[in-house]
């Protein structure tokens, strides 16, 4: 076959598969992307790669999701400027944040860059800026400003986000807004407000929204809220409720079969949560499990927390040299990840 015939055959195959699998397109997204790419239809191929990336993310395959997103961006560069290209590029840049968070840690420069590029697209092409895109951009900005410990800017984004949310807004977006509001208020030192919004997120959450929520956050949002609620209840002086929320989050993560969710629950809701309460035995159990899981699953950010807490545990057990080495290594890794918000907790453990 000459190139023209080959291209025509790939296009015909892709169109035929779309009709044949009309009710099961998610099962063949990569095949469709390949056929349309070979047919010289990069826009259609990019759309299917975006779907494939979301599918991989829902399975906890973060490296695979990033590979699909990067390939998608490569195809979009072949297109001339158009509303379709801008819309797809915006979706891809917003989607890159979740796998980068899992692989490289909270506040990593690559995730920040992806969000900034998405915001640039929103500003350059306001005609393509849907309410959903603006809500997502505000969510990511609030999250990244929190990671960088820029709480005034994070609070400002949360205020704008909450102003755009109403009872008529889709439940999935209300869940996102309340989740990030609770997280920001927690790190801003406002546990009462944090508790209010985390409880709202928990009550609004619907399991049928989890696929979309995971695409945005890279996490099980309900479990995430339970983890942060454990910290909030502890700060409010309710240790029984705090421990119950911690146990519930970890147990939920074990049932989900998603390494990223479990690593986060073990690191933040388990190891660090009990270390701050000066309970080295329980903290060590969770820290060791978190570190082992993170090493197996390439989850850098949560692994740093597990490593730091494990170092603290070793110091408490009298293993000063190895413990301090782990603590310092964890502190350096956390600083290099770009996240500053939880840095004082690392320094507290080192002290």
């Amino acid at each position: 076959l000459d190139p023209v015939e080959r291209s025509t055959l790939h296009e015909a195959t892709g169109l035929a598969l779309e009709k044949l699998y009309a009710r099961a397109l998610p099962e063949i997204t990569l095949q469709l992307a390949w056929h349309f790419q070979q047919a010289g239809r990069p826009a259609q191929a990019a759309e299917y790669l975006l779907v494939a990336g979301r599918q991989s993310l829902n399975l906890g395959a973060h490296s695979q999701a990033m590979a699909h997103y990067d390939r998608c961006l490569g195809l979009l560069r072949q297109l001339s400027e158009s509303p379709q290209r801008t819309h797809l590029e915006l979706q891809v840049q917003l989607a890159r944040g979740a796998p980068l968070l899992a692989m490289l840690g909270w506040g990593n420069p690559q995730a920040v860059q992806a969000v900034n590029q998405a915001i640039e697209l929103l500003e350059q092409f306001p005609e393509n800026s849907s309410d959903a895109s603006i809500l997502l951009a505000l969510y990511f900005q609030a999250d990244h400003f929190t990671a960088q410990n820029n709480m005034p800017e994070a609070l400002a984004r949360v205020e704008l986000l909450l102003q755009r949310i109403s009872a008529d807004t889709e439940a999935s977006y209300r869940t996102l807004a309340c989740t990030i509001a609770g997280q920001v208020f927690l790190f801003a030192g406002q546990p009462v407000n944090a508790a209010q919004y985390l409880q709202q997120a928990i009550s609004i959450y619907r399991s049928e929204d989890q696929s979309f929520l995971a695409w945005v956050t890279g996490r099980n949002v309900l479990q995430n809220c339970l983890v942060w609620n454990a910290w909030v209840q502890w700060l409010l002086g309710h240790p029984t409720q705090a421990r119950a929320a911690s146990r519930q989050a970890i147990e939920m993560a074990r049932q989900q079969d998603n390494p990223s969710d479990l690593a986060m629950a073990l690191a933040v809701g388990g190891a660090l949560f009990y270390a701050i309460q000066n309970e080295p035995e329980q903290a060590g159990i969770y820290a060791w499990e978190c570190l082992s899981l993170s090493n197996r699953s390439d989850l850098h950010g949560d692994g740093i927390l597990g490593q730091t807490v494990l170092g603290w545990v070793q110091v408490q057990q009298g293993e000063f040299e190895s413990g301090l080495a782990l603590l310092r290594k964890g502190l350096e890794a956390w600083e290099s990840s770009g996240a500053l918000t939880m840095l004082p907790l690392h320094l507290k453990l080192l002290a």
Side-chain angles (χ1 to χ4, degrees):
L1 295 176
D2 63 34
V4 174
E5 290 175 325
R6 188 179 297 110
S7 175
T8 301
L9 182 59
H10 277 294
E11 182 177 14
T13 303
L15 294 173
L17 286 172
E18 283 184 322
K19 291 181 180 179
L20 186 62
Y21 288 87
R23 297 184 179 180
L25 286 179
E27 298 178 7
I28 58 167
T29 51
L30 288 178
Q31 294 96 313
L32 288 168
W34 184 74
H35 282 298
F36 284 123
Q37 182 178 358
Q38 298 303 312
R41 296 178 62 171
Q44 287 86 343
E47 288 178 349
Y48 282 115
L49 284 172
L50 180 59
V51 174
R54 292 173 178 173
Q55 291 173 329
S56 296
L57 189 63
N58 287 336
L59 295 172
H62 300 97
S63 298
Q64 190 176 69
M66 279 301 299
H68 295 325
Y69 292 147
D70 289 343
R71 184 179 160 198
C72 184
L73 286 176
L75 289 172
L76 292 177
R77 294 189 186 101
Q78 300 176 18
L79 298 173
S80 57
E81 196 171 283
S82 68
Q84 182 187 26
R85 171 185 163 172
T86 301
H87 175 73
L88 283 171
E89 186 177 353
L90 176 62
Q91 295 303 307
V92 176
Q93 295 294 3
L94 290 173
R96 283 162 54 85
L100 287 170
L101 165 69
M103 293 190 301
L104 302 179
W106 196 24
N108 70 84
Q110 289 186 46
V112 174
Q113 182 182 19
V115 173
N116 288 339
Q117 288 175 337
I119 292 168
E120 286 179 11
L121 289 170
L122 287 171
E123 293 174 346
Q124 291 174 13
F125 304 97
E127 67 275 10
N128 294 321
S129 303
S130 65
D131 287 341
S133 296
I134 294 172
L135 291 175
L136 290 175
L138 288 170
Y139 169 89
F140 282 118
Q141 281 189 312
D143 187 54
H144 289 303
F145 279 127
T146 302
Q148 294 163 6
N149 202 29
N150 189 341
M151 299 317 300
E153 290 293 342
L155 287 165
R157 297 311 186 279
V158 162
E159 183 179 355
L160 290 172
L161 182 56
L162 294 175
Q163 287 173 359
R164 288 180 169 270
I165 296 294
S166 69
D168 296 328
T169 306
E170 288 183 27
S172 56
Y173 287 95
R174 285 187 286 134
T175 303
L176 277 178
C178 290
T179 299
I180 193 62
Q183 183 176 314
V184 169
F185 282 126
L186 167 61
F187 287 106
Q190 301 179 35
V192 174
N193 288 334
Q196 173 190 342
Y197 282 103
L198 288 172
Q199 288 298 329
Q200 285 187 37
I202 291 170
S203 64
I204 297 169
Y205 175 86
R206 304 181 308 181
S207 58
E208 58 264 35
D209 294 331
Q210 180 52 41
S211 178
F212 166 76
L213 295 171
W215 166 67
V216 177
T217 67
R219 306 287 193 188
N220 181 299
V221 168
L222 179 58
Q223 173 218 298
N224 203 48
C225 287
L226 290 169
V227 168
W228 294 123
N229 191 48
W231 282 80
V232 168
Q233 294 304 319
W234 178 65
L235 289 171
L236 292 174
H238 305 144
T240 302
Q241 294 93 318
R243 290 168 182 263
S246 168
R247 288 193 299 270
Q248 185 179 358
I250 294 171
E251 181 58 31
M252 180 182 297
R254 294 193 192 283
Q255 296 173 1
Q256 297 301 317
D257 192 30
N258 186 313
S260 178
D261 286 334
L262 180 55
M264 187 274 184
L266 291 169
V268 182
L272 196 57
F273 177 72
Y274 282 97
I276 293 301
Q277 298 177 66
N278 199 31
E279 297 188 28
E281 183 176 355
Q282 191 65 48
I285 293 173
Y286 288 129
W288 182 256
E289 184 179 358
C290 172
L291 188 56
S292 300
L293 174 63
S294 299
N295 289 337
R296 292 197 308 271
S297 305
D298 193 26
L299 300 170
H300 181 67
D302 295 316
I304 295 173
L305 291 176
Q307 178 178 260
T308 302
V309 173
L310 191 60
W312 173 79
V313 170
Q314 289 182 359
V315 170
Q316 301 304 306
Q317 295 173 341
E319 301 174 24
F320 298 107
E321 186 174 346
S322 60
L324 286 172
L326 276 178
L327 275 166
R328 294 192 179 100
K329 186 177 179 181
L331 177 60
E332 291 173 1
W334 190 259
E335 287 180 314
S336 66
S337 74
L340 300 177
T341 291
M342 299 181 74
L343 190 58
L345 293 177
H346 288 261
L347 294 171
K348 175 178 171 57
L349 295 178
L350 182 60

